[in-house]
């Protein structure tokens, strides 16, 4: 396209600096309360079907996946749950920056290793928050989306499922990296992040259709940047869970 250069470049803020952990900096703020409500809603969805592996995604990039995922993961850890937080967004990884960790090795190292005796715990790092362990993305490979949808990825997630109370994944956006669909279908549940004023309704519908096609268990959606609930920190979260979304 001749005018592609003219388009606004996506922000690299989260990739360069990590996301804002409001639940750590301002645990009693209304926004942190919103994150706890999202956590509680997911817990309620666990009644018939235990939810131990959960990912957050969106239709497109920069809709708030990493911000929402990291903060909800923190609320689980602060509640006393043993959490493994995995950066499975290899195209725009942020978790190592958010928690100030090395990303020399991580998920991609595990997935591309041919060593059957590989010790997973050597790749998992402490977050600095009690109960919360981190697996960073690792070096960005040439084929990130293929790794995500690989059988190896599925086997890996299942292998850590029982070692933690909850495994939370930050994954790429569905309409931009369709391979996310394959991974999502193997998880206990997926939450869709929708950014108010940015995500188009027809893109949400397309995303939901794709996830349904792969038989992903859609737990609900988080309305990010919800104008009616601005808390003073520049963030506001609405949430909602309906069976036909
Ligand atoms: N509610 C909000 N209010 C204001 N800024 C926000 C809000 N949510 C996210 N942001 C900002 O928007 C940018 C993108 O957020 P974030 O990195 O969480 O999105 P993402 O969907 O993970 O993006 P990517 O596609 O790059 O992975 C960041 O600069 C973040 O600080
Ligand atoms: Mg992100």
């Amino acid at each position: 396209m001749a005018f592609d250069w003219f388009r606004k470049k996506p922000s690299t803020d989260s990739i360069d600096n990590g996301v804002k952990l409001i639940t750590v900096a301002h645990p009693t703020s209304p926004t942190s309360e919103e994150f706890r409500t999202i956590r509680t809603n997911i817990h309620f969805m666990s009644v018939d079907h235990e939810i131990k592996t959960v990912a957050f995604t969106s239709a497109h990039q920069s809709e708030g996946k990493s911000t929402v995922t990291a903060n909800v993961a923190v609320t689980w850890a602060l509640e006393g749950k043993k959490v493994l937080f995995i950066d499975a967004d290899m195209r725009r990884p942020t978790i190592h920056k958010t928690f100030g960790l090395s990303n020399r090795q991580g998920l991609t190292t595990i997935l591309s290793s041919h060593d059957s005796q590989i010790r997973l715990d050597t790749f998992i790092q402490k977050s600095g928050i009690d109960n919360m362990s981190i697996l960073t993305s690792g070096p960005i490979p040439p084929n990130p989306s293929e790794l995500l949808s690989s059988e190896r990825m599925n086997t890996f997630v299942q292998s850590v499922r029982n070692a933690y109370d909850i495994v939370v994944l930050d994954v790429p956006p569905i309409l931009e990296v369709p391979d996310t669909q394959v991974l999502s279908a193997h998880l206990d549940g997926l939450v869709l992040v929708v950014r108010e004023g940015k995500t188009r309704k027809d893109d949400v519908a397309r995303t939901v259709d794709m996830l349904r096609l792969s038989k992903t268990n859609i737990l609900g959606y988080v309305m990010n940047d919800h104008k009616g609930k601005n808390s003073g920190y520049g963030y506001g979260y609405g949430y909602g869970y309906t069976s036909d979304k």
Side-chain angles (χ1 to χ4, degrees):
M1 280 279 229
F3 293 110
D4 261 358
W5 59 270
F6 196 66
R7 286 194 189 148
K8 195 169 172 261
K9 280 207 174 131
S11 162
T12 58
D13 180 34
S14 307
I15 303 171
D16 298 336
N17 307 308
V19 302
K20 294 182 182 67
L21 287 180
I22 291 186
T23 42
V24 175
H26 304 285
T28 57
S29 68
T31 304
S32 294
E33 189 54 43
E34 298 276 359
F35 285 122
R36 287 191 286 275
T37 305
I38 295 166
R39 175 195 70 193
T40 307
N41 284 357
I42 295 173
H43 175 71
F44 284 140
M45 305 288 290
S46 253
V47 176
D48 294 329
H49 171 76
E50 195 181 19
I51 294 164
K52 292 194 71 171
T53 54
V54 60
F56 289 71
T57 190
S58 59
H60 291 293
Q61 64 186 21
S62 294
E63 296 182 328
K65 289 177 299 300
S66 298
T67 306
V68 173
T69 318
N71 279 285
V72 177
V74 165
T75 67
W76 265 306
L78 295 178
E79 180 193 41
K81 292 266 186 323
K82 195 177 172 205
V83 179
L84 176 62
F85 186 26
I86 301 177
D87 201 341
D89 191 348
M90 299 151 190
R91 71 193 225 298
R92 287 168 70 87
T94 54
I95 294 180
H96 59 291
K97 291 284 183 185
T98 302
F99 292 90
L101 301 171
S102 158
N103 195 27
R104 213 166 33 83
Q105 50 183 19
L107 180 61
T108 57
T109 327
I110 295 172
L111 297 181
S112 49
S113 166
H114 296 292
D115 179 2
S116 58
Q117 303 295 312
I118 191 165
R119 288 204 37 209
L120 299 179
D121 51 350
T122 58
F123 297 94
I124 293 172
Q125 305 184 61
K126 287 189 176 139
S127 66
I129 296 171
D130 282 352
N131 307 312
M132 186 156 176
S133 303
I134 305 274
L135 180 62
T136 64
S137 68
I140 301 176
N143 56 343
S145 65
E146 276 167 41
L147 278 186
L148 260 200
S149 59
S150 67
E151 189 47 41
R152 226 179 140 78
M153 177 69 190
N154 180 30
T155 309
F156 165 71
V157 173
Q158 299 315 323
S159 71
V160 286
R161 191 176 182 277
N162 288 329
Y164 293 87
D165 293 324
I166 186 135
V167 178
V168 187
L169 298 98
D170 185 353
V171 300
I174 296 288
L175 296 184
E176 292 180 25
V177 185
D179 284 8
T180 310
Q181 236 184 315
V182 179
L183 167 66
S184 308
H186 292 303
L187 302 174
D188 297 332
L190 181 122
V191 178
L192 202 53
V193 177
V194 176
R195 189 155 185 175
E196 194 168 298
K198 184 173 190 296
T199 318
R200 290 162 45 119
K201 271 189 190 158
D202 53 343
D203 283 345
V204 176
R206 273 171 62 209
T207 306
V208 170
D209 283 348
M210 283 177 71
L211 291 169
R212 283 193 176 146
L213 208 61
S214 63
K215 304 223 178 325
T216 296
N217 182 22
I218 308 174
L219 300 173
Y221 65 91
V222 173
M223 187 67 80
N224 181 26
D225 223 348
H226 186 43
K227 306 299 179 219
K229 294 207 170 215
N230 204 311
S231 63
Y233 293 107
Y235 291 85
Y237 292 85
Y239 41 84
Y241 291 82
T242 90
S243 56
D244 60 5
K245 278 272 171 198

